Amino acid sequence: MAVWTSRGDIDTFGVTHTESGIAVEPLYTASDAPAPVPGPAAFPFTRGFREDGYRTRPWTFRQYAGHGGGSDTNGLLKYMVENGQSGLSIALDLPTQMGLDSDDPRANYEVGRLGVAIDRLADMEAVYDGIPIERISSSFTINGTAPVILAYYVAMADRRGIPRDQLAGTVQNDLLKEFVARGAYLYPPAASVRLATDVIEFCMRSVPKWNAISISAAHMRSAGATPVMSDGFMLSNAIAYCESVIARGIDIDDFAPNLSFLTSSYKDVFETVARFRACRTVWAEIARDRFGAQKERSMMFRVHSGGDIDAMTSEEPINNVARMALNAFAGACGGVQSMQVPCYDEAYEIPTEAAILNALRVQHIVAYESGVRYTADPFAGSYFVEDLTEKIAAQLRAIIEEVTSTGGSIEWISDGRMQAAISQEARVWEERVADGSEIRVGLGSGQRGMGGDGEITVHEFDPGAVDLQIKRLQEHRATRDSQAVTAALAALTTAAEGDTNVMELLVEAAKAGATTGEMCGALGDVFGDFDAPVGI
Amino acid sequence: MTRVLLAKPGLDGHDKGIKVLATILRDAGCEVIYTGLHQTPQKIALAAVQEDVDVIGLSMLSGAHVDLSRDVIEQLREAGLGERPVIVGGNIPLRDVALLTGLGAAAVFPTGTSYEEIIGWFAALPTATS
């Protein structure tokens, strides 16, 4: 795998090699320039999808937020919208991500901590109280529980009388990467892909503007993969999902418009720009040449840039604002559709309201003050960036070829090959930190405050919100129509045992008052659980 | 040779740090057992008994490190392993370091700690030379 790992001249990293380990020359001239790339708005979409770039509309400002119960998060979301946020991104707590109700003993200490607890439809309705879901899109970082969370959202729209085709948003729903990084999966790989595919098929037929999946690189990067390696695995995983949908007899052009992607801006500005350009190129090739797509929309690598949260330092945290600005600038120059930047306090805790507002303002400053929106794909024609884009595209094709010719993503993940490749890179990175070649300005200063001694003000977890959440959940269980819930869950089980799409049954169960734990439990009774290979 | 159990309590699935630490401790001569994700405190204590380890290392990045560490330490005491050192790593604010050592953690290694420092801690253990 030497072609796409970062092993090499590690003592000179930061000057001679990009973040992913691609060698860089001190000077590029016209003789290095590849042939001019077509577009924008033409295959292979290296230069993006719009001839006017961001002139008419900037990317979607979408900071990630949520904690406590529905009303806590509702207040936070409204505050962000009032301050110029153009899309919502909901953080869900770990029990919700793992399909557990708030009063499940396994959920201990985690309820409402890293995100909002959604135990039932009423919690989703509390999050969105007074928020016009027909006019603002929402992204949910949810995977194992994605079918349930989407079911709540659709049930909420149904009850508000909003046609499903007016709903816009995203569920992450990328289970394959959960087996490799972060671990928020509930069921074995085959069942997980089946459920992810149910979501894709449901969106294609019923919620056409919804991104049914956000095929993600960022978590694999956080687990240690180089940025380019993470993008290569992301695209390999995308192929596996497409094959799963196509196996149901569905045409690529019917579902590919419901696919979206997540890969982040990292510290290396030029590599970030080139990565987004290369990903667009290679995805367009995959959609057209591998799967025979004909619609342009099927070939579009529509991407949300998560932020480089791992780059946030706890020492001298105000320095992080500079990193955030570079992150946002790189993402914008890379032509992303939607963006989140990390918050300056995220090396400590989930962000405070002040830190979220600051991150949103960083996006606004880049969008409205830097000139980044003058012209589409502003780095096009740079000898260096065009050369780097070509090299990264070649590496992506090599990774995809290696994975797909040796069993494909599902096999690579089931036997731990993908995990092992990423773990090896994590170790290489740690060695670079240890020998000083991985520079993080301010680390080692011992200064953890914004000035003066002590630490910055961080988010305080509110245990009172947990007690209230559990009390309301238990009252709900005691007062609902339990026969209706039992019947809805039985219908769900029957669908899961056969090959009926589970989504409409989840929507019905949500309306009947079933809880997250009950719905995931009913599916778990059919599918079983799973421990992914560690792959060290 | 020092036997080490590395464990991920709770629901957090971020395991880059603990996996890298596992390989670094292995290369430093320890025998390392890694539990994998999503372990309850009871399961961790059971694994510590079954594997008869000298050290138990916990990694948490969700913010629930104080409560989960307390539960693991209690379970280890009940299992008769109260004397075996427990070390804690992950996203841990400075203000929680004293809290954790007050609960009985032998050492706390927040994110950003060098692996050299952790290896140094292990090298100073009585079991390191036995």
mmCIF file of all heavy atoms in Angstrom, chain A residues 94 97-98 143-144 174-187 219 223 530-532, chain B residues 10-15 37-38:
data_model
loop_
_atom_site.group_PDB
_atom_site.id
_atom_site.type_symbol
_atom_site.label_atom_id
_atom_site.label_comp_id
_atom_site.label_asym_id
_atom_site.label_seq_id
_atom_site.Cartn_x
_atom_site.Cartn_y
_atom_site.Cartn_z
ATOM 1 N N LEU A 94 -25.003 9.993 22.755
ATOM 2 C CA LEU A 94 -24.528 8.638 22.433
ATOM 3 C C LEU A 94 -25.604 7.573 22.619
ATOM 4 O O LEU A 94 -25.710 6.661 21.791
ATOM 5 C CB LEU A 94 -23.272 8.300 23.248
ATOM 6 C CG LEU A 94 -21.977 8.963 22.756
ATOM 7 C CD1 LEU A 94 -20.835 8.694 23.741
ATOM 8 C CD2 LEU A 94 -21.592 8.449 21.373
ATOM 9 N N GLN A 97 -27.561 7.600 19.553
ATOM 10 C CA GLN A 97 -26.763 7.044 18.455
ATOM 11 C C GLN A 97 -26.669 5.522 18.536
ATOM 12 O O GLN A 97 -26.508 4.853 17.521
ATOM 13 C CB GLN A 97 -25.350 7.627 18.479
ATOM 14 C CG GLN A 97 -25.299 9.109 18.122
ATOM 15 C CD GLN A 97 -23.879 9.640 18.052
ATOM 16 O OE1 GLN A 97 -23.010 8.994 17.489
ATOM 17 N NE2 GLN A 97 -23.640 10.798 18.626
ATOM 18 N N MET A 98 -26.745 4.991 19.774
ATOM 19 C CA MET A 98 -26.617 3.543 19.949
ATOM 20 C C MET A 98 -27.974 2.853 20.104
ATOM 21 O O MET A 98 -28.031 1.670 20.442
ATOM 22 C CB MET A 98 -25.744 3.235 21.180
ATOM 23 C CG MET A 98 -24.304 3.738 21.058
ATOM 24 S SD MET A 98 -23.401 3.062 19.636
ATOM 25 C CE MET A 98 -23.324 1.336 20.103
ATOM 26 N N ASN A 143 -26.246 7.198 12.534
ATOM 27 C CA ASN A 143 -25.880 6.080 11.665
ATOM 28 C C ASN A 143 -26.675 4.833 12.008
ATOM 29 O O ASN A 143 -27.663 4.550 11.366
ATOM 30 C CB ASN A 143 -24.365 5.871 11.732
ATOM 31 C CG ASN A 143 -23.638 7.061 11.132
ATOM 32 O OD1 ASN A 143 -23.509 7.151 9.924
ATOM 33 N ND2 ASN A 143 -23.201 8.009 11.954
ATOM 34 N N GLY A 144 -26.298 4.117 13.079
ATOM 35 C CA GLY A 144 -27.033 2.913 13.438
ATOM 36 C C GLY A 144 -28.520 3.185 13.618
ATOM 37 O O GLY A 144 -29.376 2.367 13.270
ATOM 38 N N ASP A 174 -24.118 6.192 7.313
ATOM 39 C CA ASP A 174 -22.976 5.504 6.693
ATOM 40 C C ASP A 174 -22.434 4.502 7.697
ATOM 41 O O ASP A 174 -21.567 4.804 8.504
ATOM 42 C CB ASP A 174 -21.910 6.525 6.285
ATOM 43 C CG ASP A 174 -20.643 5.860 5.774
ATOM 44 O OD1 ASP A 174 -20.652 4.622 5.588
ATOM 45 O OD2 ASP A 174 -19.651 6.577 5.571
ATOM 46 N N LEU A 175 -22.982 3.305 7.643
ATOM 47 C CA LEU A 175 -22.623 2.284 8.624
ATOM 48 C C LEU A 175 -21.260 1.695 8.373
ATOM 49 O O LEU A 175 -20.558 1.317 9.315
ATOM 50 C CB LEU A 175 -23.679 1.172 8.623
ATOM 51 C CG LEU A 175 -24.882 1.416 9.530
ATOM 52 C CD1 LEU A 175 -24.418 1.557 10.965
ATOM 53 C CD2 LEU A 175 -25.666 2.653 9.144
ATOM 54 N N LEU A 176 -20.865 1.609 7.111
ATOM 55 C CA LEU A 176 -19.585 0.942 6.833
ATOM 56 C C LEU A 176 -18.452 1.637 7.579
ATOM 57 O O LEU A 176 -17.628 0.990 8.211
ATOM 58 C CB LEU A 176 -19.313 0.906 5.325
ATOM 59 C CG LEU A 176 -20.206 -0.068 4.545
ATOM 60 C CD1 LEU A 176 -19.946 0.046 3.046
ATOM 61 C CD2 LEU A 176 -19.991 -1.508 5.005
ATOM 62 N N LYS A 177 -18.431 2.972 7.548
ATOM 63 C CA LYS A 177 -17.323 3.643 8.244
ATOM 64 C C LYS A 177 -17.443 3.516 9.769
ATOM 65 O O LYS A 177 -16.442 3.656 10.464
ATOM 66 C CB LYS A 177 -17.196 5.101 7.808
ATOM 67 C CG LYS A 177 -18.351 6.003 8.169
ATOM 68 C CD LYS A 177 -18.152 6.751 9.465
ATOM 69 C CE LYS A 177 -19.243 7.761 9.713
ATOM 70 N NZ LYS A 177 -20.624 7.266 9.635
ATOM 71 N N GLU A 178 -18.638 3.235 10.296
ATOM 72 C CA GLU A 178 -18.763 3.050 11.748
ATOM 73 C C GLU A 178 -18.039 1.792 12.224
ATOM 74 O O GLU A 178 -17.581 1.725 13.358
ATOM 75 C CB GLU A 178 -20.225 3.010 12.178
ATOM 76 C CG GLU A 178 -20.970 4.323 12.006
ATOM 77 C CD GLU A 178 -20.445 5.466 12.869
ATOM 78 O OE1 GLU A 178 -19.851 5.208 13.938
ATOM 79 O OE2 GLU A 178 -20.627 6.621 12.452
ATOM 80 N N PHE A 179 -17.946 0.791 11.346
ATOM 81 C CA PHE A 179 -17.206 -0.426 11.722
ATOM 82 C C PHE A 179 -15.701 -0.160 11.743
ATOM 83 O O PHE A 179 -14.930 -0.897 12.343
ATOM 84 C CB PHE A 179 -17.500 -1.566 10.743
ATOM 85 C CG PHE A 179 -18.933 -2.032 10.792
ATOM 86 C CD1 PHE A 179 -19.790 -1.794 9.738
ATOM 87 C CD2 PHE A 179 -19.416 -2.701 11.907
ATOM 88 C CE1 PHE A 179 -21.105 -2.212 9.785
ATOM 89 C CE2 PHE A 179 -20.737 -3.125 11.958
ATOM 90 C CZ PHE A 179 -21.583 -2.881 10.897
ATOM 91 N N VAL A 180 -15.292 0.897 11.049
ATOM 92 C CA VAL A 180 -13.871 1.212 10.906
ATOM 93 C C VAL A 180 -13.453 2.263 11.918
ATOM 94 O O VAL A 180 -12.344 2.243 12.445
ATOM 95 C CB VAL A 180 -13.613 1.735 9.467
ATOM 96 C CG1 VAL A 180 -12.160 2.102 9.287
ATOM 97 C CG2 VAL A 180 -14.037 0.711 8.442
ATOM 98 N N ALA A 181 -14.354 3.203 12.193
ATOM 99 C CA ALA A 181 -14.025 4.332 13.053
ATOM 100 C C ALA A 181 -15.276 4.748 13.817
ATOM 101 O O ALA A 181 -16.363 4.758 13.254
ATOM 102 C CB ALA A 181 -13.524 5.507 12.212
ATOM 103 N N ARG A 182 -15.097 5.063 15.059
ATOM 104 C CA ARG A 182 -16.117 5.592 15.958
ATOM 105 C C ARG A 182 -17.081 4.547 16.527
ATOM 106 O O ARG A 182 -17.542 4.679 17.644
ATOM 107 C CB ARG A 182 -16.930 6.727 15.328
ATOM 108 C CG ARG A 182 -17.781 7.432 16.362
ATOM 109 C CD ARG A 182 -18.428 8.679 15.877
ATOM 110 N NE ARG A 182 -19.356 8.423 14.794
ATOM 111 C CZ ARG A 182 -20.027 9.360 14.178
ATOM 112 N NH1 ARG A 182 -19.835 10.609 14.502
ATOM 113 N NH2 ARG A 182 -20.858 9.069 13.216
ATOM 114 N N GLY A 183 -17.422 3.502 15.795
ATOM 115 C CA GLY A 183 -18.116 2.372 16.417
ATOM 116 C C GLY A 183 -19.587 2.545 16.736
ATOM 117 O O GLY A 183 -20.135 1.780 17.512
ATOM 118 N N ALA A 184 -20.265 3.523 16.123
ATOM 119 C CA ALA A 184 -21.698 3.700 16.421
ATOM 120 C C ALA A 184 -22.559 2.845 15.480
ATOM 121 O O ALA A 184 -23.446 3.350 14.800
ATOM 122 C CB ALA A 184 -22.089 5.177 16.344
ATOM 123 N N TYR A 185 -22.279 1.555 15.482
ATOM 124 C CA TYR A 185 -23.094 0.621 14.707
ATOM 125 C C TYR A 185 -23.906 -0.223 15.683
ATOM 126 O O TYR A 185 -23.539 -0.368 16.843
ATOM 127 C CB TYR A 185 -22.211 -0.276 13.820
ATOM 128 C CG TYR A 185 -21.163 -1.028 14.598
ATOM 129 C CD1 TYR A 185 -21.469 -2.233 15.236
ATOM 130 C CD2 TYR A 185 -19.867 -0.541 14.731
ATOM 131 C CE1 TYR A 185 -20.529 -2.914 15.972
ATOM 132 C CE2 TYR A 185 -18.921 -1.210 15.477
ATOM 133 C CZ TYR A 185 -19.253 -2.397 16.102
ATOM 134 O OH TYR A 185 -18.316 -3.077 16.855
ATOM 135 N N LEU A 186 -25.014 -0.777 15.216
ATOM 136 C CA LEU A 186 -25.850 -1.602 16.090
ATOM 137 C C LEU A 186 -25.893 -3.063 15.657
ATOM 138 O O LEU A 186 -26.015 -3.950 16.488
ATOM 139 C CB LEU A 186 -27.294 -1.069 16.105
ATOM 140 C CG LEU A 186 -27.502 0.409 16.444
ATOM 141 C CD1 LEU A 186 -28.993 0.722 16.531
ATOM 142 C CD2 LEU A 186 -26.827 0.753 17.751
ATOM 143 N N TYR A 187 -25.849 -3.311 14.354
ATOM 144 C CA TYR A 187 -26.104 -4.650 13.829
ATOM 145 C C TYR A 187 -24.917 -5.106 12.971
ATOM 146 O O TYR A 187 -24.064 -4.301 12.613
ATOM 147 C CB TYR A 187 -27.390 -4.640 12.984
ATOM 148 C CG TYR A 187 -28.536 -3.913 13.656
ATOM 149 C CD1 TYR A 187 -29.092 -2.768 13.102
ATOM 150 C CD2 TYR A 187 -29.032 -4.354 14.887
ATOM 151 C CE1 TYR A 187 -30.129 -2.085 13.742
ATOM 152 C CE2 TYR A 187 -30.060 -3.675 15.531
ATOM 153 C CZ TYR A 187 -30.606 -2.540 14.959
ATOM 154 O OH TYR A 187 -31.601 -1.867 15.598
ATOM 155 N N HIS A 219 -14.400 10.548 9.731
ATOM 156 C CA HIS A 219 -14.189 9.734 10.938
ATOM 157 C C HIS A 219 -12.994 8.814 10.770
ATOM 158 O O HIS A 219 -12.294 8.511 11.730
ATOM 159 C CB HIS A 219 -15.455 8.944 11.245
ATOM 160 C CG HIS A 219 -16.683 9.792 11.161
ATOM 161 N ND1 HIS A 219 -17.304 10.055 9.957
ATOM 162 C CD2 HIS A 219 -17.341 10.494 12.097
ATOM 163 C CE1 HIS A 219 -18.307 10.869 10.175
ATOM 164 N NE2 HIS A 219 -18.361 11.155 11.449
ATOM 165 N N ALA A 223 -9.574 8.639 12.974
ATOM 166 C CA ALA A 223 -9.038 7.380 13.503
ATOM 167 C C ALA A 223 -7.598 7.147 13.070
ATOM 168 O O ALA A 223 -6.978 6.189 13.506
ATOM 169 C CB ALA A 223 -9.910 6.210 13.061
ATOM 170 N N PHE A 530 -23.146 -7.281 17.053
ATOM 171 C CA PHE A 530 -21.903 -7.524 16.334
ATOM 172 C C PHE A 530 -20.758 -6.812 17.020
ATOM 173 O O PHE A 530 -20.924 -5.708 17.536
ATOM 174 C CB PHE A 530 -22.050 -6.977 14.894
ATOM 175 C CG PHE A 530 -20.858 -7.222 13.999
ATOM 176 C CD1 PHE A 530 -20.578 -8.502 13.543
ATOM 177 C CD2 PHE A 530 -20.030 -6.174 13.618
ATOM 178 C CE1 PHE A 530 -19.480 -8.729 12.722
ATOM 179 C CE2 PHE A 530 -18.935 -6.398 12.793
ATOM 180 C CZ PHE A 530 -18.662 -7.680 12.344
ATOM 181 N N ASP A 531 -19.577 -7.431 17.056
ATOM 182 C CA ASP A 531 -18.351 -6.749 17.464
ATOM 183 C C ASP A 531 -17.420 -6.684 16.257
ATOM 184 O O ASP A 531 -17.010 -7.719 15.734
ATOM 185 C CB ASP A 531 -17.658 -7.515 18.604
ATOM 186 C CG ASP A 531 -18.366 -7.288 19.940
ATOM 187 O OD1 ASP A 531 -18.778 -6.130 20.175
ATOM 188 O OD2 ASP A 531 -18.514 -8.246 20.703
ATOM 189 N N ALA A 532 -17.096 -5.481 15.847
ATOM 190 C CA ALA A 532 -16.234 -5.319 14.672
ATOM 191 C C ALA A 532 -14.811 -5.735 15.012
ATOM 192 O O ALA A 532 -14.378 -5.575 16.154
ATOM 193 C CB ALA A 532 -16.244 -3.861 14.200
ATOM 194 N N GLY B 10 -18.277 2.512 28.529
ATOM 195 C CA GLY B 10 -19.342 3.403 28.059
ATOM 196 C C GLY B 10 -19.586 3.293 26.567
ATOM 197 O O GLY B 10 -19.221 2.308 25.923
ATOM 198 N N LEU B 11 -20.197 4.323 26.006
ATOM 199 C CA LEU B 11 -20.679 4.256 24.623
ATOM 200 C C LEU B 11 -19.762 4.945 23.618
ATOM 201 O O LEU B 11 -19.973 4.856 22.419
ATOM 202 C CB LEU B 11 -22.078 4.887 24.539
ATOM 203 C CG LEU B 11 -23.149 4.261 25.444
ATOM 204 C CD1 LEU B 11 -24.478 4.999 25.274
ATOM 205 C CD2 LEU B 11 -23.324 2.778 25.154
ATOM 206 N N ASP B 12 -18.752 5.648 24.110
ATOM 207 C CA ASP B 12 -17.863 6.377 23.201
ATOM 208 C C ASP B 12 -17.064 5.396 22.352
ATOM 209 O O ASP B 12 -16.532 4.423 22.855
ATOM 210 C CB ASP B 12 -16.921 7.250 24.041
ATOM 211 C CG ASP B 12 -15.716 7.724 23.259
ATOM 212 O OD1 ASP B 12 -15.904 8.171 22.112
ATOM 213 O OD2 ASP B 12 -14.591 7.645 23.788
ATOM 214 N N GLY B 13 -16.978 5.660 21.060
ATOM 215 C CA GLY B 13 -16.287 4.733 20.157
ATOM 216 C C GLY B 13 -14.985 5.257 19.595
ATOM 217 O O GLY B 13 -14.465 4.694 18.642
ATOM 218 N N HIS B 14 -14.438 6.321 20.143
ATOM 219 C CA HIS B 14 -13.181 6.866 19.614
ATOM 220 C C HIS B 14 -12.009 6.092 20.203
ATOM 221 O O HIS B 14 -11.726 6.202 21.388
ATOM 222 C CB HIS B 14 -13.072 8.355 19.932
ATOM 223 C CG HIS B 14 -14.100 9.178 19.207
ATOM 224 N ND1 HIS B 14 -15.314 9.490 19.754
ATOM 225 C CD2 HIS B 14 -14.090 9.707 17.960
ATOM 226 C CE1 HIS B 14 -16.023 10.195 18.871
ATOM 227 N NE2 HIS B 14 -15.298 10.337 17.776
ATOM 228 N N ASP B 15 -11.356 5.313 19.369
ATOM 229 C CA ASP B 15 -10.346 4.399 19.914
ATOM 230 C C ASP B 15 -8.981 4.527 19.252
ATOM 231 O O ASP B 15 -8.148 3.652 19.383
ATOM 232 C CB ASP B 15 -10.841 2.946 19.832
ATOM 233 C CG ASP B 15 -11.137 2.493 18.411
ATOM 234 O OD1 ASP B 15 -11.015 3.319 17.484
ATOM 235 O OD2 ASP B 15 -11.482 1.318 18.227
ATOM 236 N N LEU B 37 -14.680 -1.935 22.050
ATOM 237 C CA LEU B 37 -15.558 -0.824 22.429
ATOM 238 C C LEU B 37 -16.705 -1.258 23.338
ATOM 239 O O LEU B 37 -17.010 -2.442 23.443
ATOM 240 C CB LEU B 37 -16.173 -0.206 21.172
ATOM 241 C CG LEU B 37 -15.211 0.312 20.112
ATOM 242 C CD1 LEU B 37 -16.012 0.816 18.908
ATOM 243 C CD2 LEU B 37 -14.340 1.418 20.666
ATOM 244 N N HIS B 38 -17.340 -0.243 23.951
ATOM 245 C CA HIS B 38 -18.667 -0.380 24.574
ATOM 246 C C HIS B 38 -18.679 -1.376 25.722
ATOM 247 O O HIS B 38 -19.554 -2.236 25.815
ATOM 248 C CB HIS B 38 -19.717 -0.789 23.518
ATOM 249 C CG HIS B 38 -19.731 0.111 22.321
ATOM 250 N ND1 HIS B 38 -20.049 -0.333 21.063
ATOM 251 C CD2 HIS B 38 -19.439 1.421 22.186
ATOM 252 C CE1 HIS B 38 -19.962 0.661 20.209
ATOM 253 N NE2 HIS B 38 -19.596 1.747 20.856
#
